[in-house]
């Protein structure tokens, strides 16, 4: 920044800020000495303060667990029936299958059900973040957990009609939209970029894991009916409502006394490290790239599983009167356990961001997704299909999936970096709306393309979208606030000394250390 036109003013401002920090550190040093003397006289009041701080940190850790449980329950309940969609829309496949999916065919009907719910969530996400700014994060989260619990019961009551069930999914989505509120809570709670990026990754990872675990409940309860898991989802939402009500604390308490270690939890954001205004061009690039990334990723999952794998290893054998290579239970297990592989991606997230930067991580992951999707198409089209091709298909998609989701996990931290403090809730609301809307419409649109052309054309189109999205992200590599930074990188006294000499090179500078702060005196 000091190479800009206002070079001297920038250096002067930084030295003024640093001088103020030095004076504060000296006062803090002197206050610490006085406190220590008093503690000797009053019998160790410091131990009481340390115990109180430990209790506060424990409360804040429990609060973050409660927040993740809320995200998990909300997502698991919204996509509880994900493994059953293909069976529900395949007339005659199960006693609970819809008698008719008019006006849609199999592939488009399979993804119209989740699309209806996710469109409702996308609409709710537009306003939930702004409402939480006025009414409080906790109050909006509580409503977003209690209302869908009732909505799940209504969905169960509409299970006999395809169109009524889709309408119930849409209305249930309208009272959801907890993800932007949860991300805004994280942004309010953590002052450190490192910790904030980590919590963003964990929040989005929890969102994806919720899809998997909700589907696992559907697999376990499969003998009891395709729609029975909705009742379990309602109970889970009510339990999460109670946990959030009793254990979620105010973000300001999290920021002051939370999980971040104030002595070494990472470099806090100072005013000079934050943008002065929202970069609308970067905002548009990130959101258009996110749209293409999410749509291209749907070509890998779930569309490489249904209709590609479902038809190649199950339906085609049934049509020929032969025993399929992939059973219904095997297909549902594939759908359920694949999203759980986002956990390894969340664990290595910060390492990729620190080494390659956010935009380059997105570009690499999107290109990798396109390559893997094309490879799965080639494997599924090997004739005749065999147990070896099925094994190769499963191994390929399971080994590659953790890398492919890195681009989606990086979108939220990128938006946070380009936004000033007063726009963080807004950009996270835009992110959540875009993400949920794309999740809603992309599988359905790609399913329509598969119905009216072919599954091969649909997969090739998804591959192309991945590479176009990677190309769109390329200018962000050079964005000022998205540059790669080394972990724990801080400005040392030598850098400040060099700046000071630029302002007045005739003076001599020396460094001292006072109460852990490096200071400069001329």
């Amino acid at each position: 920044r000091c190479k800009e036109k206002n070079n001297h003013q920038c250096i002067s401002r930084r030295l003024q800020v640093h001088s103020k920090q030095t004076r504060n550190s000296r006062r803090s040093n002197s206050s610490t000495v006085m406190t220590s003397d008093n503690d000797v006289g009053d019998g160790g009041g410091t131990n009481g303060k340390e115990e109180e701080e430990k209790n506060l940190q424990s409360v804040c850790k429990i609060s973050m667990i409660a927040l993740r449980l809320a995200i998990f329950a909300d997502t698991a309940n919204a996509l509880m029936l994900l493994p059953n969609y293909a069976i529900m829309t395949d007339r005659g496949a199960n006693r609970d299958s819809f008698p008719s999916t008019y006006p849609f065919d199999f592939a488009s009907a399979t993804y119209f059900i989740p699309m209806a719910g996710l469109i409702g969530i996308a609409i709710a996400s537009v306003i939930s973040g702004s409402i939480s700014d006025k009414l409080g994060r906790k109050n909006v989260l509580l409503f977003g957990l209690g209302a869908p619990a009732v909505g799940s019961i209504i969905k169960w009551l509409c299970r006999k009609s395809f169109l009524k069930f889709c309408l119930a999914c849409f209305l249930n989505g309208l009272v959801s939209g907890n993800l932007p509120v949860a991300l805004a809570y994280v942004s309010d709670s953590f002052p450190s970029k490192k910790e904030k990026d980590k919590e963003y990754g964990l929040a989005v990872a929890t969102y994806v894991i919720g899809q998997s675990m909700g589907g696992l409940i559907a697999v376990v309860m499969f003998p009891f009916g395709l729609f029975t898991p909705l009742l379990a989802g309602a109970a889970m939402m009510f339990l999460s409502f109670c946990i959030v009500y009793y254990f979620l604390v105010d973000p300001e308490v999290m920021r002051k006394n939370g999980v971040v270690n104030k002595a070494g939890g990472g470099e806090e954001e100072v005013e000079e490290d934050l943008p002065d205004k929202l970069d609308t061009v970067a905002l548009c690039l990130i959101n258009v790239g996110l749209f293409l990334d999410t749509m291209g990723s749907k070509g890998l999952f779930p569309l490489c599983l249904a209709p590609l794998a479902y038809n190649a290893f199950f339906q085609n054998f049934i049509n020929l009167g032969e025993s399929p290579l992939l059973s219904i239970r095997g297909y549902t297990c594939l759908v359920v356990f694949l999203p759980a592989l986002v956990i390894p991606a969340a664990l290595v997230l910060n390492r990729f961001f620190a080494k390659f930067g956010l935009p380059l991580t997105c570009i690499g992951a999107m290109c990798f997704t396109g390559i893997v999707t094309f490879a799965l198409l080639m494997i599924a089209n090997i004739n005749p299909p065999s147990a070896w091709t099925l094994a190769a298909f499963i191994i390929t998609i399971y080994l590659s999936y953790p890398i492919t989701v890195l681009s989606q996990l990086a979108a939220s931290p990128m938006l946070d970096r380009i936004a000033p403090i007063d726009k963080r809730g807004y950009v996270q609301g835009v992110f959540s709306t875009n993400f949920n809307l794309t999740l809603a419409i992309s599988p359905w649109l790609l399913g329509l393309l598969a119905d009216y052309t072919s599954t091969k054309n649909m997969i090739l189109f998804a591959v192309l979208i991945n590479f176009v999205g990677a190309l769109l992200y390329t200018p962000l590599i050079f964005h000022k606030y998205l540059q790669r930074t080394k972990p724990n990188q801080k400005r040392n006294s030598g850098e400040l000394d060099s700046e000071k000499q630029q302002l007045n090179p005739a003076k001599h500078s020396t460094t001292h250390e006072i109460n852990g702060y490096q200071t400069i005196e001329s």
Side-chain angles (χ1 to χ4, degrees), residues 358-474:
L358 294 168
L360 196 58
T361 300
C362 288
I363 293 170
M366 292 175 72
C367 292
F368 184 76
T369 302
I371 294 170
V372 171
T373 305
F374 183 77
L376 291 172
L377 175 64
M378 295 296 100
I379 293 172
N381 283 320
I382 294 176
N383 281 318
S386 64
W388 288 104
T389 57
L390 176 60
F393 187 95
I394 295 173
I395 292 172
T396 301
I397 194 170
Y398 266 72
L399 289 180
S400 60
Y401 188 72
I403 303 298
T404 64
V405 299
L406 287 174
S407 54
Q408 297 172 50
L409 296 179
S412 181
M414 279 199 296
L415 289 170
D416 185 74
R417 295 280 178 86
I418 66 167
I421 294 176
D422 60 341
K423 293 292 184 181
R424 283 175 175 170
Y426 168 74
V427 297
Q428 295 304 333
V430 172
F431 160 76
S432 183
T433 301
N434 185 6
F435 187 60
N436 284 301
L437 188 61
T438 311
L439 282 178
I441 66 173
S442 55
W444 182 68
L445 290 176
L446 293 173
L448 282 176
L449 182 62
D451 284 341
Y452 288 101
T453 58
S454 66
T455 301
K456 180 179 179 179
N457 290 338
M458 179 267 294
I459 297 294
L460 291 176
F461 180 71
V463 171
L464 177 63
I465 289 176
N466 278 293
F467 287 105
V468 172
L471 183 64
L472 190 67
Y473 267 137
T474 303

Side-chain angles (χ1 to χ4, degrees), residues 148-188:
V150 179
S152 294
I153 299 175
I154 296 175
K155 287 165 65 177
W156 183 81
L157 295 174
C158 297
R159 65 190 184 280
K160 297 297 182 181
S161 170
F162 173 75
L163 293 179
K164 289 181 180 179
F165 185 79
C166 292
L167 178 61
C169 290
F170 173 74
L171 295 176
N172 188 59
L174 283 179
V175 294
S176 300
N178 283 328
L179 184 60
V181 183
L183 293 175
Y185 182 92
V186 170
S187 183
D188 292 343

Side-chain angles (χ1 to χ4, degrees), residues 122-164:
I123 295 173
S125 298
V126 175
I127 59 173
S128 61
S130 300
I131 292 176
S132 69
D133 290 334
K134 299 178 180 179
L135 302 181
R137 314 289 187 208
K138 184 174 181 178
N139 293 330
V140 178
L141 280 172
L142 288 173
F143 177 81
L145 292 170
V150 179
S152 294
I153 299 175
I154 296 175
K155 287 165 65 177
W156 183 81
L157 295 174
C158 297
R159 65 190 184 280
K160 297 297 182 181
S161 170
F162 173 75
L163 293 179
K164 289 181 180 179

Side-chain angles (χ1 to χ4, degrees), residues 25-45:
S25 68
R26 285 171 176 168
R27 293 193 192 105
S28 175
N29 189 28
S30 134
S31 174
T32 304
V33 174
M34 293 176 64
T35 304
S36 300
D37 293 339
N38 292 334
D39 289 343
V40 174
D42 62 12

Side-chain angles (χ1 to χ4, degrees), residues 196-211:
K196 190 179 296 184
D197 288 349
K198 176 184 175 183
E199 290 298 329
Y200 276 141
L202 288 174
V204 178
T206 304
Y207 181 87
V208 179
I209 293 169
Q211 301 176 13

Side-chain angles (χ1 to χ4, degrees), residues 66-247:
L67 182 70
R68 293 175 196 141
L69 285 175
I71 298 172
F72 174 85
D74 185 41
T75 310
N77 181 66
L79 299 175
M80 181 75 71
L81 302 181
L82 180 63
N84 296 344
Y85 290 150
I87 307 169
M88 290 160 56
T89 55
D90 189 3
R91 186 173 54 185
N94 187 278
R95 66 179 186 274
D96 290 334
S97 299
F98 291 116
S100 173
T101 58
Y102 179 83
F104 303 112
D105 290 329
F106 169 71
S108 53
T110 299
Y111 297 109
F112 185 81
I113 299 173
M115 185 192 76
L118 289 171
I119 286 179
I121 294 174
I123 295 173
S125 298
V126 175
I127 59 173
S128 61
S130 300
I131 292 176
S132 69
D133 290 334
K134 299 178 180 179
L135 302 181
R137 314 289 187 208
K138 184 174 181 178
N139 293 330
V140 178
L141 280 172
L142 288 173
F143 177 81
L145 292 170
V150 179
S152 294
I153 299 175
I154 296 175
K155 287 165 65 177
W156 183 81
L157 295 174
C158 297
R159 65 190 184 280
K160 297 297 182 181
S161 170
F162 173 75
L163 293 179
K164 289 181 180 179
F165 185 79
C166 292
L167 178 61
C169 290
F170 173 74
L171 295 176
N172 188 59
L174 283 179
V175 294
S176 300
N178 283 328
L179 184 60
V181 183
L183 293 175
Y185 182 92
V186 170
S187 183
D188 292 343
S189 301
F190 292 91
S192 166
K193 285 183 179 179
K194 180 180 178 181
E195 290 294 330
K196 190 179 296 184
D197 288 349
K198 176 184 175 183
E199 290 298 329
Y200 276 141
L202 288 174
V204 178
T206 304
Y207 181 87
V208 179
I209 293 169
Q211 301 176 13
S212 176
M213 294 300 103
L216 181 60
I217 296 174
V219 171
V220 172
M221 301 186 71
F222 183 82
F224 302 99
L226 297 179
F227 296 91
T228 307
L230 291 171
L231 301 179
M236 185 170 57
M237 293 294 284
F238 177 74
L239 177 62
S240 181
F241 175 92
C242 296
I243 292 173
V244 169
Y245 180 80
Y246 284 107
F247 296 108

